[in-house]
Amino acid sequence: MHSMISEFLEHYGALGVAALMLLENIFPPIPSELVMPWAGYSVSQSEMSFAAVVTAGSCGSFIGAMLWYFLARWIGKDRLARWIEGHGVWLTITPQDLDRVEDWFDAWGTVAVFVCRMIPGLRTLISVPAGFAQMPIGRFTVMTALGTVIWTALLAGLGWWLGDNYSQLAGPLGWISTAVVAAMFAWWVYRLVQHRSRSANEA
């Protein structure tokens, strides 16, 4: 994947950075931990400016986050709860879980959105509960923008600082991103098995 991302960015430049960061928020297996360090490396080679890559990466990532937020807000909690009653076993959640998430968001939503925008694997997912919990759009926008800019600037800055050695950063960060996604999948499988076992016992 690293070579594919590099070739794409070499061809499309800052526009490619924005496109891949948008896709990363729709299809998380495309990791920002590979995209932004390469963009920073291109800055060290005088191929793009630091401001351009951070702006492009932040805009793409921000748009992706907002798409998930508005989709979740449009679906709404009530509609989602009805769907979960019939299909929630595959999500390993119940309507009661939605109530708990909504209560948690009322207390910690602002901090959660800001922090999770800088955590691999959670960067995309945090927009969904924020949307169905109807977190105020102004607050969500500000926290998402701040977390996104800090994350993209940090990764691009590290890639710029490392220069030709940026691959030393991209590799470990890519593994961290993969590990987080794998851990989330393992947790889902555990919850699914647990849920099915409980349902079988009740039956």
Side-chain angles (χ1 to χ4, degrees):
M1 179 177 288
H2 181 269
S3 60
M4 293 176 58
I5 290 175
S6 298
E7 291 175 6
F8 184 85
L9 293 178
E10 286 175 0
H11 187 72
Y12 292 102
L15 182 60
V17 173
L20 287 181
M21 291 300 286
L22 171 60
L23 286 176
E24 184 234 357
N25 282 266
I26 298 174
F27 188 65
I30 298 177
S32 61
E33 295 78 19
L34 295 180
V35 177
M36 293 311 302
W38 188 94
Y41 162 74
S42 71
V43 173
S44 72
Q45 304 300 305
S46 301
E47 297 173 1
M48 288 188 284
S49 71
F50 184 74
V53 299
V54 172
T55 300
S58 297
C59 286
S61 185
F62 178 80
I63 292 171
M66 296 303 293
L67 287 175
W68 280 113
Y69 170 83
F70 281 117
L71 177 62
R73 187 161 183 150
W74 173 73
I75 292 173
K77 178 185 173 183
D78 293 339
R79 190 185 303 178
L80 182 59
R82 288 194 297 269
W83 187 88
I84 286 174
E85 287 179 351
H87 308 86
V89 62
W90 293 106
L91 297 177
T92 69
I93 59 176
T94 66
Q96 291 71 33
D97 292 328
L98 293 182
D99 293 331
R100 286 191 286 270
V101 170
E102 187 173 38
D103 292 340
W104 184 81
F105 247 83
D106 287 340
W108 301 100
T110 300
V111 175
V113 169
F114 174 72
V115 173
C116 287
R117 287 302 299 169
M118 295 179 281
I119 298 177
L122 298 180
R123 291 165 38 75
T124 297
L125 296 179
I126 194 62
S127 297
V128 175
F132 80 70
Q134 296 193 0
M135 181 179 181
I137 187 171
R139 190 187 312 163
F140 177 80
T141 299
V142 171
M143 292 298 103
T144 297
L146 287 175
T148 297
V149 171
I150 291 173
W151 182 243
T152 54
L154 175 63
L155 291 180
L158 287 173
W160 183 14
W161 177 63
L162 287 172
D164 291 334
N165 298 316
Y166 87 99
S167 59
Q168 296 176 4
L169 170 70
L173 284 179
W175 279 109
I176 291 173
S177 178
T178 301
V180 171
V181 173
M184 292 171 62
F185 178 75
W187 175 248
W188 172 78
V189 171
Y190 169 77
R191 292 261 299 177
L192 180 62
V193 172
Q194 190 179 50
H195 184 88
R196 285 184 173 275
S197 177
R198 184 166 56 249
S199 298
N201 291 335
E202 291 175 355

